[in-house]
Amino acid sequence: MAAASSASPAAILKDAGLFALVAFGLCVPIVSHRTDLGADGLELTPRWGLVAGLCAAIFAVRLVQRLVLERRAARAVLTPSPHQATEPVGAEPNAAQYPSSLGLPRLGLPLFVGFALFLPLIAALASGGLSPARYWIDLGILILTYVMLGWGLNIVVGLAGLLDLGYVAFYAVGAYSYALLSTVFGLSFWVCLPLAGLFAGLWGVMLGFPVLRLRGDYLAIVTLAFGEIIRLVLINWTDVTGGSAGISSIPRATFFGVPFKAGPDGFSALVGLPFDPMHRIVFLYYLILALALLTSLVTLRLRRLPLGRAWEALREDEIACRSLGIDTTKTKLTAFALGAMFGGFAGSFFAVRQGFVSPESFNFLESAIILAIVVLGGMGSQLGVAVAAVAMVGGPELLRNLGFLKAVFGEGFDPNEFRLLLFGLAMVAMMIWRPRGLISDRMPTVALGQRKAIGKDLVREGHG
Amino acid sequence: MNAPLLSLRGVSAYYGSVAALRGVDLDVNEGEIVTLIGANGAGKSTLMMTVFGAPRARSGTIAFAGEDITARPTHAIARLGLAQSPEGRRVFPRMSVQENLQMGAALHGGRYFGQDLEKVCTLFPRLKERLNQRAGTMSGGEQQMLAIGRALMSRPRLLMLDEPSLGLAPLVVKQIFSAISALNREEGMTIFLVEQNAYHALKLAHRGSVLVNGRITLSGPARALLDDPSIKAAYLEGGHAPTASVGEGVQA
Ligand SMILES: Nc1ncnc2c1ncn2[C@@H]1O[C@H](COP(=O)(O)OP(=O)(O)OP(=O)(O)O)[C@@H](O)[C@H]1O
Ligand SMILES: [Mg+2]
């Protein structure tokens, strides 16, 4: 970094060239030839175009990185940015207020919600009908599921600072709760939804009670184990859960009791539209949107209440919290239970959407993705989590459609195979550029207006 | 005379098997400023934290406002009306000044937040200017003011301060000490003050105690301590004498 602040353009070019050279050196043995099964044994197919492409890409990325770092270093010299600091920096004059960059998070969330509200309409108009838009609406549902899971886990990890690596366990509890309650007892989705949340929350408390006195790494390991335990129980408790085969033919969602089907007592007859199977999909879309928004609203509201503020304070300093009279165990437990409950809601949505659950859907990778969404999003930021979910879930999906990559990397190139690679690249890039997450500015929960009012009072009393 | 607000009787505390406090007796009466002075590592911070239950006293009893708090959890002790500005200040760095103060007021569910905020802002006008600043970005002195302000927001009956002058410029130390004395004079706040800055502390306090190696070796009216030759030698002139010799000097 020290070099970055005083490097000349030539030095930057040289540096990027060096990176490209190293990449070339690595590519020669690894990428430059492909072994194919030919007529007489193995044949080597040269792939120099691919090598050139990779080297050029690395050159470009390094160039951009250096330039950005350069600019940032120059800016940092001029104006220290205390709003991102967690330790004292001696920059008082411009530290008095939260920075203007808050405008983005403040506007961003309503924008995101607004877009989400109209997505089915936009998709239908753009692709000329509901049925052709199915792909986009399905993708929207998938992304929103992760947005909701991210927002739920955000309560635990982002706000309360408890590293939970087994969040998927609560997702599973919710999914199986709905699957079992509906198939065994015939309960409807709207009865099962709160029950699933309740069960997941209960599990959160049951797990939380013994483990929440652990901290950091230890807590992470225990929650990781808990996630695995739930999955193994689901696999092995065959009588109840159906083992690895899972539970199928779970009843579909109904419009508050009215099924989505053709015929006189179906949803379409009720509202007087011609029957379209897409109605159910659109309904599911708005259902998960509503659930996600509920999560977000509850979180935003709680952040303004003493409980939510206690979560955040807990993340910062547990000992200080305790000596301020906050029962840290109870506070942690509520965060854990609430996060688990939203995981449970999301789980029962998952079950009603798929109509099928099996332990496979609840493996560790799922927990890791949700956690990555929260971390990438900037712990604690609602909009950040939403953006990260779009990028992490929608990104790989979009990769499929990037046909031009085939032109660059050759016919056999399947971008989808590179999903995890891109995942890793994104993580590395984030660590370099935004180590605190996409949106790292924590919004104060108290408005400026309040401060002014108090200021005036004091001035009137002659203390100002 | 009324029973003391805080009283420690024969309190011992250990870190593992190492004794940090050995049979400490101490009283703080309603309305006074009591200061505890002692060299580095004497156990002053430990004593304050032991009152708050972490570490827990292994023997002896601690009573606050007539209740035995020896075995209570920290948060329950705080709810009885005991507040502290801990060693190292421990403000919540990523939260704004106002939010830090709200955390202090959380005990009462924020019922008196408005009026208490005004009081704290009158005491420390610097905080008023910076209500929206992130606490971690404030100067050391401002953070100290915030730590004291946060403790005050809980409307404590006893305010415990651990080295509020640590690392501050003389002018800021003066500000903080005059705020402490104003609190006591004008509101009758009972204050327990742990200090390295023995001269200032004894000037301010009504009574004082000296802690050496986890034992109280001397206590009495602050005036008398200021004039005590052994204290003069160890704490007031030419810095700190080695702990052992202080102990011997006082016991002799
Ligand atoms: N968490 C801990 N674990 C083990 N030993 C500790 C711990 N905290 C303090 N000690 C030890 O207990 C003794 C008393 O420490 P304490 O912090 O109470 O001293 P102090 O009087 O506050 O000193 P200072 O003026 O430097 O703050 C020291 O010997 C210290 O090393
Ligand atoms: Mg100390």
mmCIF file of all heavy atoms in Angstrom, chain A residues 82-83 87-88 95 98 309 316-317 323 325-326 442 445-446 448 451 454 458 461 464, chain B residues 75 78-79 84 90 92-95 98-99 102-103 117-118 128 132-134 136-137 139:
data_model
loop_
_atom_site.group_PDB
_atom_site.id
_atom_site.type_symbol
_atom_site.label_atom_id
_atom_site.label_comp_id
_atom_site.label_asym_id
_atom_site.label_seq_id
_atom_site.Cartn_x
_atom_site.Cartn_y
_atom_site.Cartn_z
ATOM 1 N N PRO A 82 -13.249 9.241 9.208
ATOM 2 C CA PRO A 82 -13.491 8.694 10.541
ATOM 3 C C PRO A 82 -14.768 7.878 10.628
ATOM 4 O O PRO A 82 -14.930 7.085 11.533
ATOM 5 C CB PRO A 82 -13.582 9.932 11.420
ATOM 6 C CG PRO A 82 -13.948 11.036 10.492
ATOM 7 C CD PRO A 82 -13.372 10.692 9.174
ATOM 8 N N HIS A 83 -15.673 8.059 9.644
ATOM 9 C CA HIS A 83 -16.930 7.338 9.785
ATOM 10 C C HIS A 83 -16.759 5.859 9.582
ATOM 11 O O HIS A 83 -17.625 5.076 9.931
ATOM 12 C CB HIS A 83 -17.974 7.883 8.813
ATOM 13 C CG HIS A 83 -17.573 7.736 7.386
ATOM 14 N ND1 HIS A 83 -16.725 8.620 6.794
ATOM 15 C CD2 HIS A 83 -17.878 6.804 6.468
ATOM 16 C CE1 HIS A 83 -16.541 8.249 5.539
ATOM 17 N NE2 HIS A 83 -17.221 7.156 5.320
ATOM 18 N N GLU A 87 -11.576 2.996 15.599
ATOM 19 C CA GLU A 87 -10.672 3.496 16.599
ATOM 20 C C GLU A 87 -10.517 4.990 16.386
ATOM 21 O O GLU A 87 -10.757 5.495 15.306
ATOM 22 C CB GLU A 87 -9.315 2.813 16.453
ATOM 23 C CG GLU A 87 -9.279 1.496 17.202
ATOM 24 C CD GLU A 87 -8.404 0.498 16.498
ATOM 25 O OE1 GLU A 87 -7.490 0.914 15.789
ATOM 26 O OE2 GLU A 87 -8.657 -0.699 16.671
ATOM 27 N N PRO A 88 -10.107 5.658 17.415
ATOM 28 C CA PRO A 88 -9.994 7.100 17.278
ATOM 29 C C PRO A 88 -9.041 7.480 16.151
ATOM 30 O O PRO A 88 -7.972 6.917 16.020
ATOM 31 C CB PRO A 88 -9.416 7.527 18.624
ATOM 32 C CG PRO A 88 -9.693 6.420 19.546
ATOM 33 C CD PRO A 88 -9.738 5.184 18.731
ATOM 34 N N ALA A 95 -15.726 15.008 11.430
ATOM 35 C CA ALA A 95 -16.209 13.784 12.037
ATOM 36 C C ALA A 95 -17.513 13.996 12.778
ATOM 37 O O ALA A 95 -18.124 13.070 13.253
ATOM 38 C CB ALA A 95 -15.167 13.247 13.006
ATOM 39 N N TYR A 98 -22.563 12.206 10.462
ATOM 40 C CA TYR A 98 -22.459 11.052 9.592
ATOM 41 C C TYR A 98 -22.344 11.545 8.165
ATOM 42 O O TYR A 98 -22.938 12.550 7.794
ATOM 43 C CB TYR A 98 -23.669 10.146 9.761
ATOM 44 C CG TYR A 98 -23.494 9.249 10.928
ATOM 45 C CD1 TYR A 98 -23.846 9.661 12.193
ATOM 46 C CD2 TYR A 98 -22.904 8.015 10.769
ATOM 47 C CE1 TYR A 98 -23.629 8.861 13.286
ATOM 48 C CE2 TYR A 98 -22.697 7.201 11.850
ATOM 49 C CZ TYR A 98 -23.061 7.620 13.100
ATOM 50 O OH TYR A 98 -22.842 6.813 14.161
ATOM 51 N N ARG A 309 -30.937 -2.136 20.094
ATOM 52 C CA ARG A 309 -29.721 -1.400 20.387
ATOM 53 C C ARG A 309 -28.826 -2.214 21.309
ATOM 54 O O ARG A 309 -27.606 -2.180 21.204
ATOM 55 C CB ARG A 309 -30.066 -0.045 20.993
ATOM 56 C CG ARG A 309 -29.166 1.015 20.438
ATOM 57 C CD ARG A 309 -29.556 2.406 20.857
ATOM 58 N NE ARG A 309 -30.801 2.856 20.275
ATOM 59 C CZ ARG A 309 -31.869 3.152 21.001
ATOM 60 N NH1 ARG A 309 -31.847 3.013 22.303
ATOM 61 N NH2 ARG A 309 -32.957 3.572 20.422
ATOM 62 N N GLU A 316 -20.408 -4.937 20.294
ATOM 63 C CA GLU A 316 -19.261 -4.072 20.480
ATOM 64 C C GLU A 316 -18.519 -4.368 21.782
ATOM 65 O O GLU A 316 -17.311 -4.391 21.795
ATOM 66 C CB GLU A 316 -19.714 -2.614 20.495
ATOM 67 C CG GLU A 316 -20.629 -2.292 19.349
ATOM 68 C CD GLU A 316 -20.081 -1.235 18.444
ATOM 69 O OE1 GLU A 316 -19.783 -0.151 18.949
ATOM 70 O OE2 GLU A 316 -19.956 -1.498 17.245
ATOM 71 N N ASP A 317 -19.249 -4.546 22.851
ATOM 72 C CA ASP A 317 -18.567 -4.734 24.128
ATOM 73 C C ASP A 317 -19.507 -5.383 25.141
ATOM 74 O O ASP A 317 -20.386 -4.742 25.694
ATOM 75 C CB ASP A 317 -18.081 -3.381 24.666
ATOM 76 C CG ASP A 317 -17.056 -3.550 25.770
ATOM 77 O OD1 ASP A 317 -17.193 -4.513 26.550
ATOM 78 O OD2 ASP A 317 -16.132 -2.743 25.843
ATOM 79 N N SER A 323 -22.353 -4.219 32.605
ATOM 80 C CA SER A 323 -22.300 -3.270 33.713
ATOM 81 C C SER A 323 -23.268 -2.112 33.491
ATOM 82 O O SER A 323 -23.416 -1.261 34.354
ATOM 83 C CB SER A 323 -20.876 -2.771 33.943
ATOM 84 O OG SER A 323 -20.393 -2.156 32.792
ATOM 85 N N GLY A 325 -26.331 -2.925 33.052
ATOM 86 C CA GLY A 325 -27.578 -3.533 33.503
ATOM 87 C C GLY A 325 -28.273 -4.362 32.455
ATOM 88 O O GLY A 325 -29.455 -4.690 32.599
ATOM 89 N N ILE A 326 -27.561 -4.701 31.365
ATOM 90 C CA ILE A 326 -28.195 -5.503 30.324
ATOM 91 C C ILE A 326 -27.920 -6.982 30.578
ATOM 92 O O ILE A 326 -26.768 -7.379 30.786
ATOM 93 C CB ILE A 326 -27.655 -5.093 28.938
ATOM 94 C CG1 ILE A 326 -28.132 -3.682 28.627
ATOM 95 C CG2 ILE A 326 -28.105 -6.062 27.866
ATOM 96 C CD1 ILE A 326 -27.358 -3.026 27.543
ATOM 97 N N ARG A 442 -22.850 2.190 9.158
ATOM 98 C CA ARG A 442 -23.944 1.861 10.039
ATOM 99 C C ARG A 442 -24.773 3.120 10.243
ATOM 100 O O ARG A 442 -24.261 4.158 10.605
ATOM 101 C CB ARG A 442 -23.380 1.392 11.363
ATOM 102 C CG ARG A 442 -24.438 0.924 12.283
ATOM 103 C CD ARG A 442 -23.855 0.636 13.649
ATOM 104 N NE ARG A 442 -24.951 0.669 14.567
ATOM 105 C CZ ARG A 442 -25.401 1.778 15.100
ATOM 106 N NH1 ARG A 442 -24.838 2.909 14.826
ATOM 107 N NH2 ARG A 442 -26.430 1.746 15.912
ATOM 108 N N THR A 445 -29.484 5.139 14.717
ATOM 109 C CA THR A 445 -30.912 4.911 14.835
ATOM 110 C C THR A 445 -31.632 6.145 15.338
ATOM 111 O O THR A 445 -32.832 6.155 15.452
ATOM 112 C CB THR A 445 -31.203 3.752 15.798
ATOM 113 O OG1 THR A 445 -30.545 4.060 17.024
ATOM 114 C CG2 THR A 445 -30.685 2.462 15.258
ATOM 115 N N VAL A 446 -30.885 7.170 15.656
ATOM 116 C CA VAL A 446 -31.531 8.381 16.139
ATOM 117 C C VAL A 446 -31.414 9.465 15.082
ATOM 118 O O VAL A 446 -30.371 9.641 14.486
ATOM 119 C CB VAL A 446 -30.874 8.886 17.435
ATOM 120 C CG1 VAL A 446 -31.946 9.242 18.426
ATOM 121 C CG2 VAL A 446 -29.947 7.860 17.995
ATOM 122 N N LEU A 448 -31.429 13.158 13.153
ATOM 123 C CA LEU A 448 -30.751 14.422 13.394
ATOM 124 C C LEU A 448 -31.685 15.425 14.056
ATOM 125 O O LEU A 448 -31.284 16.218 14.880
ATOM 126 C CB LEU A 448 -30.276 15.011 12.069
ATOM 127 C CG LEU A 448 -28.978 14.427 11.521
ATOM 128 C CD1 LEU A 448 -28.767 14.920 10.111
ATOM 129 C CD2 LEU A 448 -27.823 14.834 12.408
ATOM 130 N N ARG A 451 -31.689 15.760 17.690
ATOM 131 C CA ARG A 451 -30.514 16.396 18.251
ATOM 132 C C ARG A 451 -30.692 17.905 18.236
ATOM 133 O O ARG A 451 -30.381 18.602 19.180
ATOM 134 C CB ARG A 451 -29.303 15.996 17.432
ATOM 135 C CG ARG A 451 -28.104 16.872 17.663
ATOM 136 C CD ARG A 451 -26.962 16.426 16.789
ATOM 137 N NE ARG A 451 -25.958 17.455 16.695
ATOM 138 C CZ ARG A 451 -25.881 18.334 15.730
ATOM 139 N NH1 ARG A 451 -26.759 18.299 14.769
ATOM 140 N NH2 ARG A 451 -24.946 19.240 15.710
ATOM 141 N N ILE A 454 -32.906 19.162 21.016
ATOM 142 C CA ILE A 454 -32.237 19.221 22.303
ATOM 143 C C ILE A 454 -31.265 20.378 22.333
ATOM 144 O O ILE A 454 -31.190 21.131 23.286
ATOM 145 C CB ILE A 454 -31.498 17.897 22.557
ATOM 146 C CG1 ILE A 454 -32.533 16.822 22.866
ATOM 147 C CG2 ILE A 454 -30.527 18.023 23.708
ATOM 148 C CD1 ILE A 454 -32.067 15.442 22.567
ATOM 149 N N LEU A 458 -31.118 23.544 25.034
ATOM 150 C CA LEU A 458 -29.969 23.886 25.839
ATOM 151 C C LEU A 458 -29.553 25.329 25.589
ATOM 152 O O LEU A 458 -29.171 26.040 26.506
ATOM 153 C CB LEU A 458 -28.807 22.946 25.510
ATOM 154 C CG LEU A 458 -29.014 21.527 26.033
ATOM 155 C CD1 LEU A 458 -27.900 20.638 25.564
ATOM 156 C CD2 LEU A 458 -29.078 21.536 27.543
ATOM 157 N N GLU A 461 -31.599 27.631 27.484
ATOM 158 C CA GLU A 461 -31.264 27.697 28.896
ATOM 159 C C GLU A 461 -29.934 28.402 29.142
ATOM 160 O O GLU A 461 -29.504 28.553 30.279
ATOM 161 C CB GLU A 461 -31.172 26.281 29.469
ATOM 162 C CG GLU A 461 -32.538 25.667 29.701
ATOM 163 C CD GLU A 461 -32.417 24.214 30.068
ATOM 164 O OE1 GLU A 461 -31.335 23.810 30.504
ATOM 165 O OE2 GLU A 461 -33.409 23.490 29.897
ATOM 166 N N GLY A 464 -25.768 26.919 25.641
ATOM 167 C CA GLY A 464 -25.327 26.630 24.280
ATOM 168 C C GLY A 464 -24.036 27.293 23.854
ATOM 169 O O GLY A 464 -23.361 27.970 24.540
ATOM 170 N N HIS B 75 -25.421 -7.770 35.708
ATOM 171 C CA HIS B 75 -26.484 -6.867 35.256
ATOM 172 C C HIS B 75 -27.474 -6.579 36.371
ATOM 173 O O HIS B 75 -28.026 -5.483 36.458
ATOM 174 C CB HIS B 75 -27.179 -7.430 34.021
ATOM 175 C CG HIS B 75 -27.897 -8.714 34.255
ATOM 176 N ND1 HIS B 75 -29.210 -8.761 34.612
ATOM 177 C CD2 HIS B 75 -27.479 -9.994 34.205
ATOM 178 C CE1 HIS B 75 -29.580 -10.018 34.763
ATOM 179 N NE2 HIS B 75 -28.550 -10.796 34.516
ATOM 180 N N ALA B 78 -25.991 -3.883 38.514
ATOM 181 C CA ALA B 78 -26.118 -2.567 37.886
ATOM 182 C C ALA B 78 -27.526 -2.022 38.074
ATOM 183 O O ALA B 78 -27.726 -0.828 38.265
ATOM 184 C CB ALA B 78 -25.775 -2.662 36.403
ATOM 185 N N ARG B 79 -28.502 -2.927 38.053
ATOM 186 C CA ARG B 79 -29.889 -2.463 38.159
ATOM 187 C C ARG B 79 -30.236 -1.932 39.536
ATOM 188 O O ARG B 79 -31.230 -1.239 39.707
ATOM 189 C CB ARG B 79 -30.842 -3.601 37.796
ATOM 190 C CG ARG B 79 -30.865 -3.801 36.300
ATOM 191 C CD ARG B 79 -31.819 -4.838 35.876
ATOM 192 N NE ARG B 79 -31.554 -5.139 34.474
ATOM 193 C CZ ARG B 79 -32.148 -6.089 33.800
ATOM 194 N NH1 ARG B 79 -33.052 -6.829 34.394
ATOM 195 N NH2 ARG B 79 -31.849 -6.298 32.538
ATOM 196 N N GLN B 84 -20.704 2.359 36.439
ATOM 197 C CA GLN B 84 -19.268 2.577 36.400
ATOM 198 C C GLN B 84 -18.825 3.127 35.057
ATOM 199 O O GLN B 84 -19.448 2.906 34.031
ATOM 200 C CB GLN B 84 -18.543 1.255 36.668
ATOM 201 C CG GLN B 84 -18.792 0.213 35.599
ATOM 202 C CD GLN B 84 -17.787 -0.921 35.666
ATOM 203 O OE1 GLN B 84 -16.695 -0.748 36.152
ATOM 204 N NE2 GLN B 84 -18.183 -2.077 35.173
ATOM 205 N N ARG B 90 -14.324 1.898 27.467
ATOM 206 C CA ARG B 90 -15.275 0.929 26.918
ATOM 207 C C ARG B 90 -16.558 1.544 26.386
ATOM 208 O O ARG B 90 -17.662 1.059 26.645
ATOM 209 C CB ARG B 90 -15.628 -0.120 27.962
ATOM 210 C CG ARG B 90 -14.477 -1.073 28.200
ATOM 211 C CD ARG B 90 -14.904 -2.164 29.144
ATOM 212 N NE ARG B 90 -13.839 -3.140 29.310
ATOM 213 C CZ ARG B 90 -13.709 -4.228 28.573
ATOM 214 N NH1 ARG B 90 -14.548 -4.485 27.617
ATOM 215 N NH2 ARG B 90 -12.713 -5.063 28.786
ATOM 216 N N PHE B 92 -19.090 2.238 23.197
ATOM 217 C CA PHE B 92 -19.399 1.393 22.044
ATOM 218 C C PHE B 92 -18.917 2.127 20.790
ATOM 219 O O PHE B 92 -19.560 3.082 20.353
ATOM 220 C CB PHE B 92 -20.892 1.106 21.978
ATOM 221 C CG PHE B 92 -21.404 0.433 23.220
ATOM 222 C CD1 PHE B 92 -22.322 1.063 24.035
ATOM 223 C CD2 PHE B 92 -20.958 -0.830 23.575
ATOM 224 C CE1 PHE B 92 -22.796 0.452 25.183
ATOM 225 C CE2 PHE B 92 -21.416 -1.443 24.725
ATOM 226 C CZ PHE B 92 -22.333 -0.805 25.529
ATOM 227 N N PRO B 93 -17.809 1.687 20.206
ATOM 228 C CA PRO B 93 -17.129 2.544 19.224
ATOM 229 C C PRO B 93 -17.934 2.814 17.961
ATOM 230 O O PRO B 93 -17.855 3.895 17.406
ATOM 231 C CB PRO B 93 -15.851 1.767 18.905
ATOM 232 C CG PRO B 93 -16.105 0.372 19.344
ATOM 233 C CD PRO B 93 -17.074 0.457 20.460
ATOM 234 N N ARG B 94 -18.727 1.833 17.513
ATOM 235 C CA ARG B 94 -19.411 2.041 16.238
ATOM 236 C C ARG B 94 -20.772 2.707 16.407
ATOM 237 O O ARG B 94 -21.452 2.995 15.436
ATOM 238 C CB ARG B 94 -19.557 0.703 15.487
ATOM 239 C CG ARG B 94 -18.368 0.454 14.557
ATOM 240 C CD ARG B 94 -18.244 -0.966 14.120
ATOM 241 N NE ARG B 94 -19.424 -1.514 13.488
ATOM 242 C CZ ARG B 94 -19.618 -1.551 12.168
ATOM 243 N NH1 ARG B 94 -18.742 -1.039 11.358
ATOM 244 N NH2 ARG B 94 -20.691 -2.109 11.689
ATOM 245 N N MET B 95 -21.150 2.939 17.630
ATOM 246 C CA MET B 95 -22.435 3.596 17.851
ATOM 247 C C MET B 95 -22.200 5.087 18.091
ATOM 248 O O MET B 95 -21.129 5.485 18.532
ATOM 249 C CB MET B 95 -23.140 2.960 19.046
ATOM 250 C CG MET B 95 -23.428 1.482 18.821
ATOM 251 S SD MET B 95 -24.057 0.653 20.275
ATOM 252 C CE MET B 95 -25.785 0.997 20.157
ATOM 253 N N GLN B 98 -24.971 9.663 20.968
ATOM 254 C CA GLN B 98 -26.326 9.629 21.509
ATOM 255 C C GLN B 98 -26.769 8.190 21.798
ATOM 256 O O GLN B 98 -27.385 7.916 22.821
ATOM 257 C CB GLN B 98 -27.285 10.291 20.524
ATOM 258 C CG GLN B 98 -28.682 10.408 21.076
ATOM 259 C CD GLN B 98 -29.495 11.459 20.351
ATOM 260 O OE1 GLN B 98 -28.969 12.281 19.620
ATOM 261 N NE2 GLN B 98 -30.792 11.420 20.557
ATOM 262 N N GLU B 99 -26.423 7.277 20.898
ATOM 263 C CA GLU B 99 -26.802 5.883 21.122
ATOM 264 C C GLU B 99 -26.086 5.301 22.328
ATOM 265 O O GLU B 99 -26.656 4.517 23.092
ATOM 266 C CB GLU B 99 -26.498 5.050 19.878
ATOM 267 C CG GLU B 99 -27.460 5.323 18.747
ATOM 268 C CD GLU B 99 -27.013 4.700 17.442
ATOM 269 O OE1 GLU B 99 -25.800 4.626 17.193
ATOM 270 O OE2 GLU B 99 -27.872 4.278 16.678
ATOM 271 N N GLN B 102 -27.960 6.409 25.143
ATOM 272 C CA GLN B 102 -29.214 5.657 25.253
ATOM 273 C C GLN B 102 -28.983 4.300 25.895
ATOM 274 O O GLN B 102 -29.829 3.808 26.644
ATOM 275 C CB GLN B 102 -29.827 5.465 23.869
ATOM 276 C CG GLN B 102 -30.588 6.691 23.405
ATOM 277 C CD GLN B 102 -31.118 6.529 22.006
ATOM 278 O OE1 GLN B 102 -30.492 5.885 21.170
ATOM 279 N NE2 GLN B 102 -32.259 7.115 21.737
ATOM 280 N N MET B 103 -27.840 3.698 25.585
ATOM 281 C CA MET B 103 -27.532 2.417 26.217
ATOM 282 C C MET B 103 -27.453 2.582 27.723
ATOM 283 O O MET B 103 -27.861 1.717 28.478
ATOM 284 C CB MET B 103 -26.208 1.860 25.690
ATOM 285 C CG MET B 103 -26.241 1.333 24.284
ATOM 286 S SD MET B 103 -27.594 0.224 23.983
ATOM 287 C CE MET B 103 -27.246 -1.049 25.190
ATOM 288 N N LEU B 117 -30.348 13.535 29.300
ATOM 289 C CA LEU B 117 -29.433 13.923 28.229
ATOM 290 C C LEU B 117 -29.047 15.386 28.403
ATOM 291 O O LEU B 117 -27.885 15.760 28.278
ATOM 292 C CB LEU B 117 -30.094 13.695 26.870
ATOM 293 C CG LEU B 117 -29.226 14.017 25.658
ATOM 294 C CD1 LEU B 117 -28.038 13.080 25.604
ATOM 295 C CD2 LEU B 117 -30.021 13.898 24.372
ATOM 296 N N GLU B 118 -30.017 16.197 28.726
ATOM 297 C CA GLU B 118 -29.718 17.611 28.937
ATOM 298 C C GLU B 118 -28.736 17.807 30.069
ATOM 299 O O GLU B 118 -27.808 18.596 29.978
ATOM 300 C CB GLU B 118 -31.007 18.379 29.251
ATOM 301 C CG GLU B 118 -31.599 19.005 28.016
ATOM 302 C CD GLU B 118 -32.818 19.826 28.357
ATOM 303 O OE1 GLU B 118 -32.760 20.631 29.305
ATOM 304 O OE2 GLU B 118 -33.835 19.639 27.682
ATOM 305 N N LYS B 128 -22.479 17.483 23.743
ATOM 306 C CA LYS B 128 -23.650 18.023 23.061
ATOM 307 C C LYS B 128 -23.331 18.320 21.600
ATOM 308 O O LYS B 128 -24.143 18.085 20.713
ATOM 309 C CB LYS B 128 -24.114 19.293 23.775
ATOM 310 C CG LYS B 128 -25.414 19.835 23.216
ATOM 311 C CD LYS B 128 -25.805 21.114 23.906
ATOM 312 C CE LYS B 128 -24.775 22.185 23.647
ATOM 313 N NZ LYS B 128 -25.069 23.425 24.373
ATOM 314 N N ASN B 132 -23.985 13.115 17.302
ATOM 315 C CA ASN B 132 -24.121 12.212 16.158
ATOM 316 C C ASN B 132 -22.801 11.623 15.688
ATOM 317 O O ASN B 132 -22.758 10.909 14.704
ATOM 318 C CB ASN B 132 -24.777 12.942 14.995
ATOM 319 C CG ASN B 132 -26.265 13.053 15.215
ATOM 320 O OD1 ASN B 132 -26.925 12.054 15.428
ATOM 321 N ND2 ASN B 132 -26.769 14.261 15.203
ATOM 322 N N GLN B 133 -21.745 11.946 16.412
ATOM 323 C CA GLN B 133 -20.455 11.389 16.004
ATOM 324 C C GLN B 133 -20.322 9.958 16.507
ATOM 325 O O GLN B 133 -20.844 9.584 17.550
ATOM 326 C CB GLN B 133 -19.321 12.246 16.582
ATOM 327 C CG GLN B 133 -17.953 11.801 16.081
ATOM 328 C CD GLN B 133 -16.856 12.736 16.543
ATOM 329 O OE1 GLN B 133 -17.120 13.899 16.834
ATOM 330 N NE2 GLN B 133 -15.642 12.231 16.604
ATOM 331 N N ARG B 134 -19.615 9.172 15.715
ATOM 332 C CA ARG B 134 -19.326 7.809 16.130
ATOM 333 C C ARG B 134 -18.381 7.856 17.330
ATOM 334 O O ARG B 134 -17.356 8.523 17.289
ATOM 335 C CB ARG B 134 -18.653 7.108 14.966
ATOM 336 C CG ARG B 134 -18.795 5.654 14.974
ATOM 337 C CD ARG B 134 -18.383 5.131 13.632
ATOM 338 N NE ARG B 134 -19.517 5.141 12.718
ATOM 339 C CZ ARG B 134 -19.708 4.202 11.811
ATOM 340 N NH1 ARG B 134 -18.857 3.228 11.699
ATOM 341 N NH2 ARG B 134 -20.747 4.246 11.026
ATOM 342 N N GLY B 136 -16.262 5.884 18.620
ATOM 343 C CA GLY B 136 -14.885 5.445 18.435
ATOM 344 C C GLY B 136 -13.991 6.476 17.785
ATOM 345 O O GLY B 136 -12.775 6.357 17.826
ATOM 346 N N THR B 137 -14.590 7.481 17.174
ATOM 347 C CA THR B 137 -13.764 8.478 16.497
ATOM 348 C C THR B 137 -13.512 9.696 17.376
ATOM 349 O O THR B 137 -12.909 10.651 16.927
ATOM 350 C CB THR B 137 -14.437 8.964 15.201
ATOM 351 O OG1 THR B 137 -15.631 9.651 15.538
ATOM 352 C CG2 THR B 137 -14.760 7.815 14.276
ATOM 353 N N SER B 139 -11.956 11.897 20.600
ATOM 354 C CA SER B 139 -10.671 11.933 21.285
ATOM 355 C C SER B 139 -10.792 11.218 22.624
ATOM 356 O O SER B 139 -11.888 10.963 23.116
ATOM 357 C CB SER B 139 -10.261 13.383 21.509
ATOM 358 O OG SER B 139 -10.938 13.900 22.629
#
